[in-house]
Amino acid sequence: MLSGSRIGRRAAWLALTVAVVLTVFPFYWMVRTALTPAADLWTDATSLWPHRPTLVNFARLLNLVGPEAARAAGGSGARIDFLLYTLNSVVYSGLIAVVQTFCCAMAGYAFARLRFPGRDVAFGVIIAALMVPPIFTILPNFVLVKQLGLLNSLPGLVLPSLLMTPFAVFFLRQFFLSIPRDVEEAATLEGVGRWGMFWRIVLPMSRGPLITIGLTTVVWSWKDYLWPLLTGKGEDSRVLTVGLGVFLQQSPNTAPDWTGLMAGSVLSIIPVLLLLIFLGRRLVQSMNFSGIK
Amino acid sequence: MTRQAPTHLAGARPEAGTDQRQGTSAPPRRARDDRRVAWLFLLPVLVGFVVFYAYPTIRGVWYSFTDYSLLDEPAYVGGDNYRQLVGDAQFWNALKVTGYYVVVNIVSQTVVALGLAALMHRLTRSVLLRATLLVPWLVPNVTIGLLWAWLLDPDLGYVNHLIGLTGLDTTLSFNSPDWAMPLVALVNSWTFTGYTALLLYAGMLQIPPHLYEGAAIDGAGEWRMFRSITLPLLRPILALVLVVSLIGSFQIFDTVAVVYGGKAPIPETRVIYYYIFQRAFTYFDMGYASAVAMVLVVILGVLTTLQLRMLRASSSDLG
C-alpha cells in the first residue's frame, strides 16, 4: 500500500490512532462518570477510574431504588422512568422504520414500474417536498396534531413520519428502476399478478436497500428530539432523548446531576450500539454498497 | 422529523435510461390493470404526503401572513411579519450566528474527514475502525450535547482539567461568549466527521487502484497521488457530501438546546432553528415563526435544488 517512507507510514498510523482515541475517549468518560458515586464527584473528578465504582446511578434511573435512596445518591427524587422511555423510543423508531419502509417501497415500485396517468407529476411533487426544511412543517403539524387531540400520545408522535418521507420514496424508486425487466416479464408469463410480483419477487430481491433505508430510519428516529419534545411531553409518550432533557432540567441543586445524566446517556446509546454490533457490517458496508457512483 | 436525506443512500442510482421501455412491451390489458393497481400501491404514501407534508406546507405559508398565538384563530395581517423581520435584530443575529456556525462546522468537518478517508483508503480496510468512527453519528445529539456539556463543565469537566495540566489559563465553556459558538461547531464536527469520512472513503473505493499503482511506479509520492488522483476523481462526491452537510448544518438545534441545561442559549449561539422554536413555542407567535422559517425555506430550497441536481433526480430518468 504505502510505498512512501517508513516515517510517513508511522505518522499516518499515528494520525488514525489519534482519531480513534478522540472518538472513543468521550464515551469512555461517559461510562466512567456513570460509575462514580455522586458524592465523589468533587473529590474524585479526574482519575481515569473511579475510586469507588458503583452501579447506583443506573439503579436509580431504572427505579430499582426508592426515592429516598435516589436522593441520597444525588438524584432529585423526582420520578424518572428510563425503562419506559427506552421502550417508547424502541416503539417509536421501530414502528416508523417498518411501516415507512414498507409503504415507501410500495410507492417506489409504482413510480418505477407501473404506468399510470399523473405519475411524473405526482413523483415530482413528492420530490419537491425535499426542499421544505422540517421546521417549516413542524409548526403546522404541531397545530394539526393538537387539533386532532393527539398531543402527548404515541399516535400523535409517530403519525407525521409513519407513512412516508419523500427521500425514502425517491431512494427506493431509484433502486427498483435498476432491477432487470426480464425478471418481471418472466413472472408475468407465469401468471403472477402485480401484487405477487412486488411481494414475492421484487421485495426479496431488494433486501439490501430495504435494510439500508430501514436502518437509517431507525437511527434517525432514535436520535429525533425536536418533534418528540413538542408532542411527547407527557410521561407515557416520552422518548429517551426527551427524557434526558427533562432529567437535565430537574436537577435538584444548582449543579446538574452529572452522574445520573451520564448513566442515562449510557442507556440511550446501548440500543444503537447493539444495532451496530449485530448489523454493523451491513451498516458500514451499506455506505460503499450504495457507494454514490 | 428533523431528518436530512442521508448521503450514503444517494447512490442506488441506476444508469439513466434503464426505464425507457416502460410498459411498451406489456399487453394493453396489463396497462389498464396497472392504472388501478398503481393508485392502491400509492395510497398510504399519498395520504401521508397530503396530510403531513403538502397541507402543512400550505398552512405554513398562510401562517406567515397571519398573527397566530395558537389560542385564537390566525388573523390575516398581510406582509406585516416580513416587514417586522427586516428590522428584527435578533433575527439578523440568528442568521449571522447560523452562517458562522455553518462555515466553521463545514470547513473543520470536511478537511479532517478528507484526511481520515485518505488515510483509511491507503492504509487499512478495517471494518472495526470504520464502525468505531461511525459511533458518534449513531448517538442522539441530545446525548452528545450532554456529554460535551459535562466534558466542558467549567469546574469539573475533564477537558478543562487537561487544559489546567498544560498550565494554560483558559476555561472552555458554552457560557463564554467567545468560546460558545466555536465549541458548538467543534462538538458537531466531532459528531459528524467520522460519518463524513466514511462517505468520502466509500467514494475513494470507486477509484481504480491501477491509477495509484501506475503513479507509484512513476515515483509519485503519497501527497502527489492525493492531489493528482484522489482529489480530482473524488470531486463529484465531495461536492455532494458538502451540499448535504451544508443543508444539515443549517438545521442545528439539538446540541444548542441541550448544552445550556434546558435554558435558552446565549445570543452568540441562538441559531435560526432555535429562534424559530422560541418564537413559536415560548412566545406563541406562530405567524412570525413561520415567516422566519420561510427564510430558511428559501435558503435551503436553493441548496436542495443543487443536491437534487447532483443526485440527478430530474424527471429525465422517468420512463
Side-chain angles (χ1 to χ4, degrees), chain A residues 236-257:
Chain A
D236 291 339
S237 55
R238 199 177 283 162
V239 297
L240 259 172
T241 48
V242 180
L244 276 171
V246 172
F247 189 15
L248 180 63
Q249 291 167 43
Q250 270 180 0
S251 292
N253 312 313
T254 41
D257 173 9

mmCIF file with all atom_site columns, all heavy atoms in Angstrom, chain A residues 236-257:
data_model
loop_
_atom_site.group_PDB
_atom_site.id
_atom_site.type_symbol
_atom_site.label_atom_id
_atom_site.label_alt_id
_atom_site.label_comp_id
_atom_site.label_asym_id
_atom_site.label_entity_id
_atom_site.label_seq_id
_atom_site.pdbx_PDB_ins_code
_atom_site.Cartn_x
_atom_site.Cartn_y
_atom_site.Cartn_z
_atom_site.occupancy
_atom_site.B_iso_or_equiv
_atom_site.pdbx_formal_charge
_atom_site.auth_seq_id
_atom_site.auth_comp_id
_atom_site.auth_asym_id
_atom_site.auth_atom_id
_atom_site.pdbx_PDB_model_num
ATOM 1   N N   . ASP A 1 236 ? -46.107 9.217  29.562 1.00 0.00 ? 236 ASP A N   1
ATOM 2   C CA  . ASP A 1 236 ? -46.409 7.990  28.833 1.00 0.00 ? 236 ASP A CA  1
ATOM 3   C C   . ASP A 1 236 ? -45.839 7.964  27.429 1.00 0.00 ? 236 ASP A C   1
ATOM 4   O O   . ASP A 1 236 ? -45.600 6.904  26.870 1.00 0.00 ? 236 ASP A O   1
ATOM 5   C CB  . ASP A 1 236 ? -47.931 7.792  28.738 1.00 0.00 ? 236 ASP A CB  1
ATOM 6   C CG  . ASP A 1 236 ? -48.514 7.484  30.099 1.00 0.00 ? 236 ASP A CG  1
ATOM 7   O OD1 . ASP A 1 236 ? -47.736 7.045  30.971 1.00 0.00 ? 236 ASP A OD1 1
ATOM 8   O OD2 . ASP A 1 236 ? -49.723 7.695  30.291 1.00 0.00 ? 236 ASP A OD2 1
ATOM 9   N N   . SER A 1 237 ? -45.687 9.154  26.832 1.00 0.00 ? 237 SER A N   1
ATOM 10  C CA  . SER A 1 237 ? -45.217 9.174  25.449 1.00 0.00 ? 237 SER A CA  1
ATOM 11  C C   . SER A 1 237 ? -43.829 9.782  25.346 1.00 0.00 ? 237 SER A C   1
ATOM 12  O O   . SER A 1 237 ? -43.392 10.172 24.290 1.00 0.00 ? 237 SER A O   1
ATOM 13  C CB  . SER A 1 237 ? -46.203 9.959  24.579 1.00 0.00 ? 237 SER A CB  1
ATOM 14  O OG  . SER A 1 237 ? -46.401 11.245 25.125 1.00 0.00 ? 237 SER A OG  1
ATOM 15  N N   . ARG A 1 238 ? -43.128 9.842  26.467 1.00 0.00 ? 238 ARG A N   1
ATOM 16  C CA  . ARG A 1 238 ? -41.814 10.467 26.449 1.00 0.00 ? 238 ARG A CA  1
ATOM 17  C C   . ARG A 1 238 ? -40.779 9.478  25.912 1.00 0.00 ? 238 ARG A C   1
ATOM 18  O O   . ARG A 1 238 ? -40.695 8.353  26.375 1.00 0.00 ? 238 ARG A O   1
ATOM 19  C CB  . ARG A 1 238 ? -41.450 10.881 27.874 1.00 0.00 ? 238 ARG A CB  1
ATOM 20  C CG  . ARG A 1 238 ? -40.367 11.911 27.961 1.00 0.00 ? 238 ARG A CG  1
ATOM 21  C CD  . ARG A 1 238 ? -40.118 12.308 29.398 1.00 0.00 ? 238 ARG A CD  1
ATOM 22  N NE  . ARG A 1 238 ? -41.120 13.221 29.931 1.00 0.00 ? 238 ARG A NE  1
ATOM 23  C CZ  . ARG A 1 238 ? -41.292 13.427 31.241 1.00 0.00 ? 238 ARG A CZ  1
ATOM 24  N NH1 . ARG A 1 238 ? -40.571 12.774 32.124 1.00 0.00 ? 238 ARG A NH1 1
ATOM 25  N NH2 . ARG A 1 238 ? -42.207 14.269 31.664 1.00 0.00 ? 238 ARG A NH2 1
ATOM 26  N N   . VAL A 1 239 ? -39.991 9.912  24.937 1.00 0.00 ? 239 VAL A N   1
ATOM 27  C CA  . VAL A 1 239 ? -38.923 9.048  24.441 1.00 0.00 ? 239 VAL A CA  1
ATOM 28  C C   . VAL A 1 239 ? -37.622 9.410  25.160 1.00 0.00 ? 239 VAL A C   1
ATOM 29  O O   . VAL A 1 239 ? -37.563 10.389 25.896 1.00 0.00 ? 239 VAL A O   1
ATOM 30  C CB  . VAL A 1 239 ? -38.746 9.161  22.905 1.00 0.00 ? 239 VAL A CB  1
ATOM 31  C CG1 . VAL A 1 239 ? -39.989 8.693  22.174 1.00 0.00 ? 239 VAL A CG1 1
ATOM 32  C CG2 . VAL A 1 239 ? -38.374 10.574 22.500 1.00 0.00 ? 239 VAL A CG2 1
ATOM 33  N N   . LEU A 1 240 ? -36.593 8.604  24.922 1.00 0.00 ? 240 LEU A N   1
ATOM 34  C CA  . LEU A 1 240 ? -35.337 8.750  25.676 1.00 0.00 ? 240 LEU A CA  1
ATOM 35  C C   . LEU A 1 240 ? -34.717 10.136 25.568 1.00 0.00 ? 240 LEU A C   1
ATOM 36  O O   . LEU A 1 240 ? -34.298 10.708 26.572 1.00 0.00 ? 240 LEU A O   1
ATOM 37  C CB  . LEU A 1 240 ? -34.335 7.726  25.162 1.00 0.00 ? 240 LEU A CB  1
ATOM 38  C CG  . LEU A 1 240 ? -34.161 6.484  26.011 1.00 0.00 ? 240 LEU A CG  1
ATOM 39  C CD1 . LEU A 1 240 ? -33.288 5.480  25.289 1.00 0.00 ? 240 LEU A CD1 1
ATOM 40  C CD2 . LEU A 1 240 ? -33.530 6.840  27.350 1.00 0.00 ? 240 LEU A CD2 1
ATOM 41  N N   . THR A 1 241 ? -34.644 10.656 24.328 1.00 0.00 ? 241 THR A N   1
ATOM 42  C CA  . THR A 1 241 ? -33.978 11.944 24.161 1.00 0.00 ? 241 THR A CA  1
ATOM 43  C C   . THR A 1 241 ? -34.696 13.028 24.967 1.00 0.00 ? 241 THR A C   1
ATOM 44  O O   . THR A 1 241 ? -34.060 13.838 25.631 1.00 0.00 ? 241 THR A O   1
ATOM 45  C CB  . THR A 1 241 ? -33.946 12.346 22.684 1.00 0.00 ? 241 THR A CB  1
ATOM 46  O OG1 . THR A 1 241 ? -35.244 12.180 22.134 1.00 0.00 ? 241 THR A OG1 1
ATOM 47  C CG2 . THR A 1 241 ? -32.958 11.509 21.904 1.00 0.00 ? 241 THR A CG2 1
ATOM 48  N N   . VAL A 1 242 ? -36.030 13.001 24.927 1.00 0.00 ? 242 VAL A N   1
ATOM 49  C CA  . VAL A 1 242 ? -36.805 13.987 25.679 1.00 0.00 ? 242 VAL A CA  1
ATOM 50  C C   . VAL A 1 242 ? -36.639 13.741 27.177 1.00 0.00 ? 242 VAL A C   1
ATOM 51  O O   . VAL A 1 242 ? -36.477 14.683 27.963 1.00 0.00 ? 242 VAL A O   1
ATOM 52  C CB  . VAL A 1 242 ? -38.293 13.927 25.280 1.00 0.00 ? 242 VAL A CB  1
ATOM 53  C CG1 . VAL A 1 242 ? -39.094 14.955 26.055 1.00 0.00 ? 242 VAL A CG1 1
ATOM 54  C CG2 . VAL A 1 242 ? -38.455 14.157 23.786 1.00 0.00 ? 242 VAL A CG2 1
ATOM 55  N N   . GLY A 1 243 ? -36.635 12.461 27.567 1.00 0.00 ? 243 GLY A N   1
ATOM 56  C CA  . GLY A 1 243 ? -36.455 12.101 28.971 1.00 0.00 ? 243 GLY A CA  1
ATOM 57  C C   . GLY A 1 243 ? -35.145 12.650 29.515 1.00 0.00 ? 243 GLY A C   1
ATOM 58  O O   . GLY A 1 243 ? -35.097 13.206 30.623 1.00 0.00 ? 243 GLY A O   1
ATOM 59  N N   . LEU A 1 244 ? -34.075 12.529 28.721 1.00 0.00 ? 244 LEU A N   1
ATOM 60  C CA  . LEU A 1 244 ? -32.773 13.059 29.155 1.00 0.00 ? 244 LEU A CA  1
ATOM 61  C C   . LEU A 1 244 ? -32.841 14.562 29.354 1.00 0.00 ? 244 LEU A C   1
ATOM 62  O O   . LEU A 1 244 ? -32.305 15.103 30.316 1.00 0.00 ? 244 LEU A O   1
ATOM 63  C CB  . LEU A 1 244 ? -31.705 12.728 28.113 1.00 0.00 ? 244 LEU A CB  1
ATOM 64  C CG  . LEU A 1 244 ? -31.066 11.344 28.198 1.00 0.00 ? 244 LEU A CG  1
ATOM 65  C CD1 . LEU A 1 244 ? -30.189 11.088 26.987 1.00 0.00 ? 244 LEU A CD1 1
ATOM 66  C CD2 . LEU A 1 244 ? -30.245 11.213 29.467 1.00 0.00 ? 244 LEU A CD2 1
ATOM 67  N N   . GLY A 1 245 ? -33.534 15.239 28.422 1.00 0.00 ? 245 GLY A N   1
ATOM 68  C CA  . GLY A 1 245 ? -33.672 16.687 28.534 1.00 0.00 ? 245 GLY A CA  1
ATOM 69  C C   . GLY A 1 245 ? -34.435 17.091 29.791 1.00 0.00 ? 245 GLY A C   1
ATOM 70  O O   . GLY A 1 245 ? -34.038 18.020 30.511 1.00 0.00 ? 245 GLY A O   1
ATOM 71  N N   . VAL A 1 246 ? -35.515 16.370 30.068 1.00 0.00 ? 246 VAL A N   1
ATOM 72  C CA  . VAL A 1 246 ? -36.315 16.658 31.264 1.00 0.00 ? 246 VAL A CA  1
ATOM 73  C C   . VAL A 1 246 ? -35.479 16.441 32.518 1.00 0.00 ? 246 VAL A C   1
ATOM 74  O O   . VAL A 1 246 ? -35.469 17.246 33.444 1.00 0.00 ? 246 VAL A O   1
ATOM 75  C CB  . VAL A 1 246 ? -37.573 15.756 31.298 1.00 0.00 ? 246 VAL A CB  1
ATOM 76  C CG1 . VAL A 1 246 ? -38.299 15.900 32.624 1.00 0.00 ? 246 VAL A CG1 1
ATOM 77  C CG2 . VAL A 1 246 ? -38.498 16.090 30.142 1.00 0.00 ? 246 VAL A CG2 1
ATOM 78  N N   . PHE A 1 247 ? -34.749 15.328 32.507 1.00 0.00 ? 247 PHE A N   1
ATOM 79  C CA  . PHE A 1 247 ? -33.876 14.965 33.613 1.00 0.00 ? 247 PHE A CA  1
ATOM 80  C C   . PHE A 1 247 ? -32.879 16.089 33.883 1.00 0.00 ? 247 PHE A C   1
ATOM 81  O O   . PHE A 1 247 ? -32.629 16.475 35.029 1.00 0.00 ? 247 PHE A O   1
ATOM 82  C CB  . PHE A 1 247 ? -33.159 13.675 33.220 1.00 0.00 ? 247 PHE A CB  1
ATOM 83  C CG  . PHE A 1 247 ? -32.368 13.037 34.312 1.00 0.00 ? 247 PHE A CG  1
ATOM 84  C CD1 . PHE A 1 247 ? -32.529 13.399 35.630 1.00 0.00 ? 247 PHE A CD1 1
ATOM 85  C CD2 . PHE A 1 247 ? -31.458 12.035 34.013 1.00 0.00 ? 247 PHE A CD2 1
ATOM 86  C CE1 . PHE A 1 247 ? -31.796 12.798 36.634 1.00 0.00 ? 247 PHE A CE1 1
ATOM 87  C CE2 . PHE A 1 247 ? -30.722 11.425 35.005 1.00 0.00 ? 247 PHE A CE2 1
ATOM 88  C CZ  . PHE A 1 247 ? -30.885 11.812 36.315 1.00 0.00 ? 247 PHE A CZ  1
ATOM 89  N N   . LEU A 1 248 ? -32.330 16.644 32.805 1.00 0.00 ? 248 LEU A N   1
ATOM 90  C CA  . LEU A 1 248 ? -31.345 17.717 32.931 1.00 0.00 ? 248 LEU A CA  1
ATOM 91  C C   . LEU A 1 248 ? -31.941 18.922 33.658 1.00 0.00 ? 248 LEU A C   1
ATOM 92  O O   . LEU A 1 248 ? -31.293 19.562 34.481 1.00 0.00 ? 248 LEU A O   1
ATOM 93  C CB  . LEU A 1 248 ? -30.860 18.112 31.536 1.00 0.00 ? 248 LEU A CB  1
ATOM 94  C CG  . LEU A 1 248 ? -29.828 19.226 31.418 1.00 0.00 ? 248 LEU A CG  1
ATOM 95  C CD1 . LEU A 1 248 ? -28.548 18.826 32.110 1.00 0.00 ? 248 LEU A CD1 1
ATOM 96  C CD2 . LEU A 1 248 ? -29.560 19.541 29.960 1.00 0.00 ? 248 LEU A CD2 1
ATOM 97  N N   . GLN A 1 249 ? -33.209 19.215 33.339 1.00 0.00 ? 249 GLN A N   1
ATOM 98  C CA  . GLN A 1 249 ? -33.840 20.390 33.936 1.00 0.00 ? 249 GLN A CA  1
ATOM 99  C C   . GLN A 1 249 ? -34.305 20.159 35.368 1.00 0.00 ? 249 GLN A C   1
ATOM 100 O O   . GLN A 1 249 ? -34.617 21.101 36.082 1.00 0.00 ? 249 GLN A O   1
ATOM 101 C CB  . GLN A 1 249 ? -35.040 20.817 33.085 1.00 0.00 ? 249 GLN A CB  1
ATOM 102 C CG  . GLN A 1 249 ? -34.618 21.371 31.749 1.00 0.00 ? 249 GLN A CG  1
ATOM 103 C CD  . GLN A 1 249 ? -35.776 21.506 30.798 1.00 0.00 ? 249 GLN A CD  1
ATOM 104 O OE1 . GLN A 1 249 ? -36.844 21.947 31.185 1.00 0.00 ? 249 GLN A OE1 1
ATOM 105 N NE2 . GLN A 1 249 ? -35.569 21.122 29.558 1.00 0.00 ? 249 GLN A NE2 1
ATOM 106 N N   . GLN A 1 250 ? -34.380 18.863 35.739 1.00 0.00 ? 250 GLN A N   1
ATOM 107 C CA  . GLN A 1 250 ? -34.895 18.558 37.070 1.00 0.00 ? 250 GLN A CA  1
ATOM 108 C C   . GLN A 1 250 ? -33.840 18.593 38.157 1.00 0.00 ? 250 GLN A C   1
ATOM 109 O O   . GLN A 1 250 ? -34.110 18.250 39.292 1.00 0.00 ? 250 GLN A O   1
ATOM 110 C CB  . GLN A 1 250 ? -35.478 17.146 37.065 1.00 0.00 ? 250 GLN A CB  1
ATOM 111 C CG  . GLN A 1 250 ? -36.945 17.094 36.712 1.00 0.00 ? 250 GLN A CG  1
ATOM 112 C CD  . GLN A 1 250 ? -37.416 15.668 36.743 1.00 0.00 ? 250 GLN A CD  1
ATOM 113 O OE1 . GLN A 1 250 ? -36.647 14.748 37.020 1.00 0.00 ? 250 GLN A OE1 1
ATOM 114 N NE2 . GLN A 1 250 ? -38.690 15.469 36.470 1.00 0.00 ? 250 GLN A NE2 1
ATOM 115 N N   . SER A 1 251 ? -32.618 18.952 37.769 1.00 0.00 ? 251 SER A N   1
ATOM 116 C CA  . SER A 1 251 ? -31.534 18.879 38.745 1.00 0.00 ? 251 SER A CA  1
ATOM 117 C C   . SER A 1 251 ? -31.901 19.603 40.038 1.00 0.00 ? 251 SER A C   1
ATOM 118 O O   . SER A 1 251 ? -32.402 20.717 40.002 1.00 0.00 ? 251 SER A O   1
ATOM 119 C CB  . SER A 1 251 ? -30.259 19.460 38.156 1.00 0.00 ? 251 SER A CB  1
ATOM 120 O OG  . SER A 1 251 ? -29.799 18.628 37.136 1.00 0.00 ? 251 SER A OG  1
ATOM 121 N N   . PRO A 1 252 ? -31.638 18.953 41.164 1.00 0.00 ? 252 PRO A N   1
ATOM 122 C CA  . PRO A 1 252 ? -32.100 19.465 42.453 1.00 0.00 ? 252 PRO A CA  1
ATOM 123 C C   . PRO A 1 252 ? -31.394 20.755 42.848 1.00 0.00 ? 252 PRO A C   1
ATOM 124 O O   . PRO A 1 252 ? -32.009 21.693 43.302 1.00 0.00 ? 252 PRO A O   1
ATOM 125 C CB  . PRO A 1 252 ? -31.745 18.337 43.424 1.00 0.00 ? 252 PRO A CB  1
ATOM 126 C CG  . PRO A 1 252 ? -30.670 17.541 42.753 1.00 0.00 ? 252 PRO A CG  1
ATOM 127 C CD  . PRO A 1 252 ? -30.889 17.704 41.290 1.00 0.00 ? 252 PRO A CD  1
ATOM 128 N N   . ASN A 1 253 ? -30.082 20.801 42.690 1.00 0.00 ? 253 ASN A N   1
ATOM 129 C CA  . ASN A 1 253 ? -29.338 21.967 43.150 1.00 0.00 ? 253 ASN A CA  1
ATOM 130 C C   . ASN A 1 253 ? -28.989 22.846 41.967 1.00 0.00 ? 253 ASN A C   1
ATOM 131 O O   . ASN A 1 253 ? -29.641 22.804 40.946 1.00 0.00 ? 253 ASN A O   1
ATOM 132 C CB  . ASN A 1 253 ? -28.068 21.516 43.868 1.00 0.00 ? 253 ASN A CB  1
ATOM 133 C CG  . ASN A 1 253 ? -28.396 20.437 44.862 1.00 0.00 ? 253 ASN A CG  1
ATOM 134 O OD1 . ASN A 1 253 ? -29.336 20.569 45.630 1.00 0.00 ? 253 ASN A OD1 1
ATOM 135 N ND2 . ASN A 1 253 ? -27.650 19.341 44.804 1.00 0.00 ? 253 ASN A ND2 1
ATOM 136 N N   . THR A 1 254 ? -27.970 23.633 42.129 1.00 0.00 ? 254 THR A N   1
ATOM 137 C CA  . THR A 1 254 ? -27.553 24.462 41.013 1.00 0.00 ? 254 THR A CA  1
ATOM 138 C C   . THR A 1 254 ? -26.796 23.643 39.980 1.00 0.00 ? 254 THR A C   1
ATOM 139 O O   . THR A 1 254 ? -26.942 23.855 38.796 1.00 0.00 ? 254 THR A O   1
ATOM 140 C CB  . THR A 1 254 ? -26.664 25.618 41.514 1.00 0.00 ? 254 THR A CB  1
ATOM 141 O OG1 . THR A 1 254 ? -25.790 25.088 42.496 1.00 0.00 ? 254 THR A OG1 1
ATOM 142 C CG2 . THR A 1 254 ? -27.494 26.741 42.085 1.00 0.00 ? 254 THR A CG2 1
ATOM 143 N N   . ALA A 1 255 ? -25.981 22.691 40.441 1.00 0.00 ? 255 ALA A N   1
ATOM 144 C CA  . ALA A 1 255 ? -25.207 21.874 39.510 1.00 0.00 ? 255 ALA A CA  1
ATOM 145 C C   . ALA A 1 255 ? -26.047 20.714 39.002 1.00 0.00 ? 255 ALA A C   1
ATOM 146 O O   . ALA A 1 255 ? -26.815 20.126 39.750 1.00 0.00 ? 255 ALA A O   1
ATOM 147 C CB  . ALA A 1 255 ? -23.957 21.343 40.194 1.00 0.00 ? 255 ALA A CB  1
ATOM 148 N N   . PRO A 1 256 ? -25.916 20.385 37.715 1.00 0.00 ? 256 PRO A N   1
ATOM 149 C CA  . PRO A 1 256 ? -26.661 19.243 37.184 1.00 0.00 ? 256 PRO A CA  1
ATOM 150 C C   . PRO A 1 256 ? -26.231 17.935 37.843 1.00 0.00 ? 256 PRO A C   1
ATOM 151 O O   . PRO A 1 256 ? -25.116 17.825 38.336 1.00 0.00 ? 256 PRO A O   1
ATOM 152 C CB  . PRO A 1 256 ? -26.283 19.242 35.697 1.00 0.00 ? 256 PRO A CB  1
ATOM 153 C CG  . PRO A 1 256 ? -25.738 20.598 35.418 1.00 0.00 ? 256 PRO A CG  1
ATOM 154 C CD  . PRO A 1 256 ? -25.141 21.085 36.700 1.00 0.00 ? 256 PRO A CD  1
ATOM 155 N N   . ASP A 1 257 ? -27.115 16.975 37.820 1.00 0.00 ? 257 ASP A N   1
ATOM 156 C CA  . ASP A 1 257 ? -26.862 15.654 38.381 1.00 0.00 ? 257 ASP A CA  1
ATOM 157 C C   . ASP A 1 257 ? -26.042 14.852 37.365 1.00 0.00 ? 257 ASP A C   1
ATOM 158 O O   . ASP A 1 257 ? -26.560 13.979 36.673 1.00 0.00 ? 257 ASP A O   1
ATOM 159 C CB  . ASP A 1 257 ? -28.233 15.005 38.643 1.00 0.00 ? 257 ASP A CB  1
ATOM 160 C CG  . ASP A 1 257 ? -28.130 13.562 39.061 1.00 0.00 ? 257 ASP A CG  1
ATOM 161 O OD1 . ASP A 1 257 ? -27.008 13.091 39.319 1.00 0.00 ? 257 ASP A OD1 1
ATOM 162 O OD2 . ASP A 1 257 ? -29.181 12.909 39.120 1.00 0.00 ? 257 ASP A OD2 1
#
